[in-house]
Amino acid sequence: MKFRSQPSLILAAMLLCGGLISSPLTAGEAGSARERLLMDFGWKFHLGDDWGTGEDLAKAGGSAGPARAEFSDNTWRAIRLPHDWAIELPFDEHSDGSHGFKPVGTGFAKNSVGWYRRTFTLPREDAGKRLWLEFDGAYRDCRLFLNGYFIGHHESGYSGFRYDVTDVANCGGKNVLAVLVDASQFEGWFYEGAGLYRHVWLVKTAPLAIAPHGIFVHTRFQNNLPDGPVEVPISVELHNSQEAAADAAVKCEIQDPDGKSVAEIQQSVRIGPWSKAEAKPRIVFNSPVLWSPEMPKLYKLVTTVLAGDKIVDRVETEFGIRTVAFDAEKGFLLNGKPYELKGTCNHQDHAGVGAALPDRLQYFRIARLKEMGDNAYRTSHDPPTPELLEACDRLGMVVMDENRLLGSDAANLERLEDLVRRDRNHPSVVVWSIANEEGVQTTPTGGRIAETMQGLIHRLDPTRSCTMAANVGNYFAGLNRIIDVRGWNYHIGKDMDDYHAAHPAQPNVGTEQASTVSTRGIYANDAPRGYVSAYDDNAPPWANTTETWWKFFAPRPWLSGGFAWTGFDYRGEPTPYSWPCINSHFGIVDTCGFPKDNFYYYQAWWSERTVLHLLPHWTWPGREDQEIDVRCFSNCDEVELLLNGQSLGRQTMPRNSHLRWKVKYAPGTLSAKGFKGGRMVAEEKVETAGAPAALKLVADRQGIQADAEDLSVITVQVTDDQGRVVPVAGNLVSFEVSGAGKILGVGNGDPSCHEPDTYIDKDSRRSIALNDWRMQNVPNTKERPETAENFPDTNWQKVDVRADYGPLGPDTSAVFRTAFELTPADLASTNLLVTFGMIDDEGWVYVNGQLAGEAHDWSSSQTFAIRKFLNPGRNSLAVAVKNGQGSGGLNKGVELEIEEQPVLAQWKRSVFNGLAEILVRSTKESGDLHLVARAPGLQPASLTVQAQACTPRPAVP
């Protein structure tokens, strides 16, 4: 047994906060060199593996293809982050169903690799600073280049990563960042997306600065009970990237939830050259305000580093004051009291955007879960995006923070350490999960690996316990023998009771339960269409219905509560069906966040609200006088059911259960009255809806920030002529947006819908093959008169530039010339480009005698924007080519590309059982955003959302 002298109460001291948050002050105002700049805007993207990895293993800076700084990405699509290219692909029955039938991975090489490029300028004043590129996550295998230099290779799809690019950055000039992302290999068995689906940041610091994730702030109370003064131990790790030792003063100030300073302390530290040092101040103060999901009050630690009288760094860190523990009999304790975990497991996946969730959508999702009484969130099965934890800190939701993979190898331990360092300041995080359902969990090897991982976590964070989501029953060997808190995936019943009796000192928690399957608005299983009844009747063999699992957990406080699989539906794992079903049915809400009926069971027994919910809907044409299975979720003492005003009986509501009637269908009103203590406290009705007559748009917020990041989640309803939602409607609706916003994505929660979630404007481009070329050998390529606009080339040798190999021999140079005609209409187009299949080895391109660009990578096609050099009528194109080894010259074709205005996407989506969703994002322009929805035969709807002027967060221009 691995508990040795541990008491049954496993202490996991208090607190913490939403990771490192840069000061909102500018560097100049704060007197600090630190800047953290968002790099989400201004990217170019190309889907396809056309150039290999871009690496040159022989020489530094010798990258190829898009990795080269000089590479032309003129024809690539402009995008912004976060970006998931898999969501843009069509569904394919022959692709992997567990990943949502999107054609990525094995067999889909063209769709599985993408290139991203971002050009930016650094001011000359950045010379002497340390410069970092930080990626919150990318799916999946990444190779990164800055200014043609390889800067790193990262293989995990869920962990963040950063690279010091100080040496290869160009301060005072242009910089080109290129990222190759390869999603060919899966990590999970669920939809994972593809691409740069989380934020990217540029971080600048002084040579003497706080290390990445270098602040750890936690809190202590005597006996881990939140009475009396609070002790706040602080750890600040400093890096000195200088040749000389440095003396620094570390000043720590704590501000209360109202922004008032409550305490501060200063400590001196000496750091050797190119080394680290740690300051460990400690602050004590009285009458702290505690953090909890019901009252998520946040403190702020302001850490300032001074060298002499100069401020060299400043970081603000949000944290919360609270205690957590797991007790073998009382279960989970928050602030010294039993706190039942009423939680859900969730993947990062939402309608319209796939894995690339904007920050605001994280808040929307957490708020929707809290609405049903959810107070806990498991980040299944991977480290979350940082903004999710910020939402949980600020809205109030405790978190089981889950590591991706069991492993004690160097790479896995490095990722685990980064996860803990990044997230240990968040008050929402109350327990670490080291892995999920590992096949080796019952083996001695699995136990040894878990012991190493748990030991590392305890050294980094002595304030929290560890668990593992184990899908075994009454089994103690291996990992369960080691872990602080036994995690339970399913196996309710005798296994749990027997295990607890055999191991009474070990705390327990329901890491994954339920896996109930249901489809919103469907009340009979329909395998051909891929739908499951929304009644709480269906679960796979390993799982349980909603009521079954919660009735077992609720009277057993030692289980600590648990996490239902899942809060939101997600793409992939279409259970119990496969194609045409493309996403899961496990969610309590669908992929849009629209509640299924089980939502109200949880709301009745998890929340403090008075709940009275009837199911199903009451629109059943053709089923008159047939019995309908009517059920009621409520926390009232008694419920009376009525049909068209006639009572059908009054029943007592059993705790953690539901009520049921068999009712012969008649159109009209089915209603219910809820009673507590004999007094009516709630009334609910469902009415027979008429034919679809109109559309209605409802925004979750009608005021958003004009920062090009904020969004409004808009519900589309199909209603009858009385304004009632038609629960069986499936109308196709089209959308138009104008003003200060753009549509980001659409969805409807239908698990078998194959309509696009996103629509992309289509390029309108004409290509003209330039085949009439002549060539003249020249001694060199410097300032050749043969490249002049009207240089005579009639007597030059004709050459076919469409050949696979060029006409030049080794160590030979030549000028190639052609001419083409353009009309004034051509010149009025959006852009004009010339693309060379290959310029081998090096080339200088001239248009009408003017240098338009250079090519120094024979292995890649080259594209040049040439519009500014062109004239109506005849134009000349000349290329001076220098060939080194083998054959060379111009080959594989040359095309003139005339870009017209893009064909704007026509956004549309069918409603599913009366509802659909539109995500509309702001631009940087303030003003009104107008959305119009139309469907044949229905009255259109319009909605105005106001984009309000604001100060966007600092970003790289």
Side-chain angles (χ1 to χ4, degrees):
M1 186 162 179
K2 212 48 180 171
F3 301 113
R4 299 190 180 96
S5 61
Q6 280 183 303
S8 62
L9 182 67
I10 295 180
L11 300 182
M14 32 276 145
L15 123 125
L16 308 257
C17 79
L20 296 184
I21 299 175
S22 298
S23 167
L25 301 177
T26 68
E29 290 171 321
S32 164
R34 180 177 293 270
E35 294 180 82
R36 191 166 190 256
L37 306 176
L38 188 66
M39 288 192 71
D40 283 3
F41 306 101
W43 289 83
K44 290 293 195 74
F45 173 71
H46 173 84
L47 180 62
D49 184 13
D50 300 328
W51 300 277
T53 66
E55 288 184 79
D56 183 342
L57 302 180
K59 297 292 183 180
S63 55
R68 290 183 62 87
E70 301 85 1
F71 180 87
S72 173
D73 54 24
N74 284 311
T75 60
W76 289 18
R77 179 158 65 98
I79 62 144
R80 53 149 303 171
L81 308 183
H83 175 242
D84 173 6
W85 82 67
I87 200 65
E88 301 170 356
L89 301 175
F91 295 100
D92 188 322
E93 183 179 1
H94 303 290
S95 57
D96 186 68
S98 68
H99 283 74
F101 290 105
K102 289 292 187 176
V104 293
T106 302
F108 299 95
K110 174 68 177 177
N111 295 336
S112 299
V113 176
W115 279 93
Y116 295 83
R117 284 171 55 91
R118 173 71 154 87
T119 300
F120 60 99
T121 300
L122 291 172
R124 193 175 303 277
E125 293 75 26
D126 284 346
K129 297 180 181 179
R130 304 306 298 182
L131 305 174
W132 297 78
L133 289 172
E134 291 188 353
F135 292 73
D136 287 342
Y139 198 83
R140 175 192 166 269
D141 188 343
C142 292
R143 285 174 170 81
L144 301 96
F145 306 83
L146 184 65
N147 298 328
Y149 288 87
F150 177 76
I151 59 172
H153 180 198
H154 185 78
E155 292 186 279
S156 169
Y158 297 100
S159 60
F161 52 99
R162 70 188 66 82
Y163 298 107
D164 186 333
V165 296
T166 305
D167 293 343
V168 296
N170 180 20
C171 296
K174 185 178 79 169
N175 294 265
V176 180
L177 173 61
V179 185
L180 171 65
V181 184
D182 187 340
S184 300
Q185 290 183 291
F186 299 141
E187 286 190 52
W189 48 97
F190 42 86
Y191 181 81
E192 300 181 277
L196 299 181
Y197 73 104
R198 294 183 181 178
H199 294 308
V200 176
W201 306 86
L202 173 65
V203 179
K204 308 176 185 180
T205 71
L208 174 61
I210 298 167
H213 306 319
I215 293 177
F216 180 32
V217 51
H218 57 285
T219 57
R220 295 180 187 146
F221 290 91
Q222 188 173 2
N223 299 321
N224 202 37
L225 296 174
D227 296 320
V230 60
E231 177 187 356
V232 186
I234 302 166
S235 172
V236 181
E237 182 181 311
L238 301 179
H239 276 190
N240 179 20
S241 302
Q242 302 174 110
E243 295 295 339
D247 293 306
V250 178
K251 177 183 175 183
C252 295
E253 178 194 10
I254 293 178
Q255 298 175 358
D256 69 14
D258 295 324
K260 298 177 181 177
S261 180
V262 297
E264 66 176 60
I265 192 171
Q266 184 166 308
Q267 188 175 100
S268 298
V269 61
R270 183 170 179 81
I271 315 104
W274 295 100
S275 61
K276 303 176 184 178
E278 194 171 21
K280 292 189 173 182
R282 171 181 163 273
I283 292 176
V284 178
F285 64 93
N286 294 314
S287 305
V289 179
L290 300 181
W291 183 96
S292 70
E294 292 71 33
M295 192 173 71
K297 297 292 186 179
L298 294 172
Y299 282 76
K300 183 181 292 182
L301 172 67
V302 182
T303 304
T304 305
V305 180
L306 299 99
D309 295 329
K310 182 181 179 182
I311 296 175
V312 294
D313 205 356
R314 182 179 186 272
V315 169
E316 296 182 359
T317 308
E318 288 184 338
F319 70 100
I321 298 174
R322 47 97 176 125
T323 66
V324 296
F326 281 89
D327 183 87
E329 291 300 328
K330 298 178 182 178
F332 175 65
L333 305 179
L334 177 64
N335 295 327
K337 299 177 182 178
Y339 192 87
E340 194 169 34
L341 298 174
K342 303 168 182 176
T344 59
C345 308
N346 293 278
H347 290 307
Q348 179 165 314
D349 181 12
H350 195 89
V353 293
L357 271 67
D359 296 353
R360 170 59 197 166
L361 208 48
Q362 304 285 4
Y363 285 78
F364 171 85
R365 288 163 63 90
I366 295 301
R368 179 53 48 92
L369 293 173
K370 283 179 68 73
E371 186 183 334
M372 76 172 188
D374 189 341
N375 63 18
Y377 189 108
R378 176 181 170 220
T379 67
S380 311
H381 300 291
D382 49 75
T385 188
E387 290 73 25
L388 170 68
L389 297 183
E390 290 174 8
C392 291
D393 289 344
R394 295 168 184 176
L395 298 181
M397 178 80 74
V398 300
V399 173
M400 177 179 289
D401 200 339
E402 188 154 284
N403 179 56
R404 175 65 206 94
L405 185 68
L406 189 76
S408 57
D409 58 281
N412 267 305
L413 290 180
E414 181 180 350
R415 288 193 283 266
L416 177 62
E417 178 171 350
D418 193 68
L419 166 66
V420 175
R421 286 183 177 275
R422 186 194 73 172
D423 294 351
R424 61 186 175 176
N425 289 328
H426 287 277
S428 56
V429 176
V430 299
V431 61
W432 304 104
S433 172
I434 64 171
N436 171 74
E437 295 185 354
E438 292 282 354
V440 298
Q441 62 193 314
T442 60
T443 67
T445 301
R448 291 193 297 270
I449 294 171
E451 189 170 24
T452 296
M453 296 176 72
Q454 184 169 264
L456 173 62
I457 292 173
H458 287 167
R459 291 191 297 275
L460 295 168
D461 176 19
T463 74
R464 296 178 179 86
S465 300
C466 296
T467 189
M468 186 268 188
N471 60 333
V472 294
N474 183 11
Y475 204 95
F476 188 64
L479 196 147
N480 285 336
R481 183 178 65 87
I482 299 297
I483 205 72
D484 294 334
V485 181
R486 165 67 206 267
W488 287 94
N489 283 18
Y490 313 106
H491 292 278
I492 69 169
K494 189 174 185 298
D495 274 349
M496 289 183 178
D497 288 337
D498 289 351
Y499 185 95
H500 179 52
H503 312 289
Q506 187 179 29
N508 295 263
V509 64
T511 42
E512 183 174 318
Q513 295 299 321
S515 277
T516 312
V517 288
S518 63
T519 306
R520 176 178 58 82
I522 299 293
Y523 296 96
N525 292 348
D526 188 343
R529 294 199 298 163
Y531 298 148
V532 189
S533 166
Y535 292 121
D536 186 25
D537 292 341
N538 296 288
W542 71 86
N544 302 101
T545 63
T546 297
E547 185 172 317
T548 300
W549 90 270
W550 187 247
K551 285 177 77 171
F552 182 85
F553 268 69
R556 291 170 172 80
W558 54 268
L559 279 171
S560 302
F563 297 80
W565 188 267
T566 53
F568 280 75
D569 270 340
Y570 56 94
R571 292 171 179 79
E573 287 198 292
T575 308
Y577 310 122
S578 189
W579 186 268
C581 189
I582 46 84
N583 70 245
S584 81
H585 294 80
F586 296 120
I588 301 167
V589 300
D590 65 20
T591 55
C592 296
F594 297 133
K596 304 180 188 179
D597 290 293
N598 283 338
F599 179 96
Y600 300 98
Y601 171 87
Y602 287 108
Q603 192 180 63
W605 303 114
W606 282 7
S607 78
E608 299 300 319
R609 302 174 185 225
T610 297
V611 176
L612 183 59
H613 175 75
L614 289 174
L615 64 149
H617 61 75
W618 206 241
T619 302
W620 299 99
R623 294 192 60 182
E624 287 76 9
D625 292 326
Q626 297 180 27
E627 280 195 339
I628 302 291
D629 184 357
V630 174
R631 304 187 193 184
C632 176
F633 295 139
S634 180
N635 49 16
C636 295
D637 299 336
E638 296 178 298
V639 175
E640 181 182 12
L641 186 71
L642 302 95
L643 177 60
N644 294 327
Q646 298 298 310
S647 178
L648 302 179
R650 183 164 166 170
Q651 298 185 39
T652 299
M653 175 65 72
R655 182 157 184 80
N656 295 317
S657 189
H658 69 282
L659 297 176
R660 188 171 183 175
W661 289 264
K662 292 291 186 180
V663 180
K664 287 188 176 181
Y665 176 66
T669 302
L670 184 71
S671 60
K673 297 179 180 180
F675 299 86
K676 287 187 177 181
R679 183 174 63 89
M680 190 177 77
V681 294
E683 198 165 4
E684 173 73 358
K685 66 179 180 179
V686 288
E687 296 180 318
T688 304
L695 295 170
K696 184 178 180 180
L697 299 173
V698 181
D700 75 319
R701 297 183 307 148
Q702 290 198 254
I704 60 177
Q705 299 290 302
D707 59 2
E709 294 190 76
D710 203 2
L711 59 83
S712 182
V713 181
I714 299 171
T715 298
V716 185
Q717 299 176 349
V718 171
T719 66
D720 65 9
D721 57 7
Q722 301 298 309
R724 297 171 295 207
V725 174
V726 181
V728 294
N731 304 70
L732 179 63
V733 184
S734 61
F735 309 104
E736 296 175 11
V737 67
S738 60
K742 295 182 178 180
I743 300 177
L744 179 61
V746 291
N748 60 14
D750 182 350
S752 297
C753 182
H754 298 171
E755 297 172 16
D757 283 69
T758 186
Y759 291 81
I760 300 170
D761 295 343
K762 293 183 179 179
D763 284 339
S764 179
R765 182 178 300 175
R766 290 185 289 121
S767 295
I768 302 172
L770 301 179
N771 297 328
D772 185 17
W773 287 82
R774 285 173 167 76
M775 178 192 83
Q776 176 72 43
N777 286 346
V778 294
N780 57 64
T781 55
K782 292 183 178 180
E783 300 178 0
R784 300 304 311 175
E786 293 89 349
T787 61
E789 180 176 7
N790 296 311
F791 192 90
D793 56 22
T794 306
N795 296 324
W796 288 17
Q797 175 187 346
K798 288 190 175 183
V799 61
D800 185 1
V801 299
R802 295 168 295 179
D804 288 335
Y805 301 96
L808 300 183
D811 298 319
T812 305
S813 297
V815 174
F816 295 74
R817 290 182 61 90
T818 190
F820 53 90
E821 298 281 335
L822 291 175
T823 67
D826 294 331
L827 293 176
S829 61
T830 303
N831 203 359
L832 289 105
L833 310 166
V834 62
T835 297
F836 297 85
M838 183 180 290
I839 301 177
D840 186 2
D841 283 332
E842 297 182 277
W844 289 260
V845 178
Y846 296 83
V847 178
N848 293 327
Q850 301 177 75
L851 181 64
E854 301 179 11
H856 302 282
D857 181 8
W858 65 267
S859 64
S860 302
S861 63
Q862 303 285 338
T863 301
F864 302 92
I866 60 173
R867 180 178 176 180
K868 64 180 180 180
F869 306 112
L870 298 171
N871 306 310
R874 185 183 183 278
N875 293 269
S876 70
L877 176 61
V879 186
V881 178
K882 178 182 179 181
N883 184 46
Q885 299 177 346
S887 61
L890 296 188
N891 53 305
K892 297 189 177 180
V894 182
E895 288 190 341
L896 180 70
E897 300 183 22
I898 302 174
E899 291 186 354
E900 309 290 352
Q901 288 292 335
V903 178
L904 299 181
Q906 300 297 308
W907 288 84
K908 55 189 175 182
R909 188 71 170 195
S910 296
V911 299
F912 178 58
N913 292 329
L915 301 176
E917 182 175 273
I918 318 170
L919 306 177
V920 179
R921 184 165 57 194
S922 66
T923 63
K924 291 185 179 180
E925 300 296 324
S926 60
D928 288 343
L929 179 164
H930 301 286
L931 180 68
V932 177
R934 294 184 175 86
L938 303 185
Q939 182 179 343
S942 62
L943 178 72
T944 298
V945 174
Q946 186 178 36
Q948 300 159 348
C950 67
T951 301
R953 53 182 167 182
V956 175

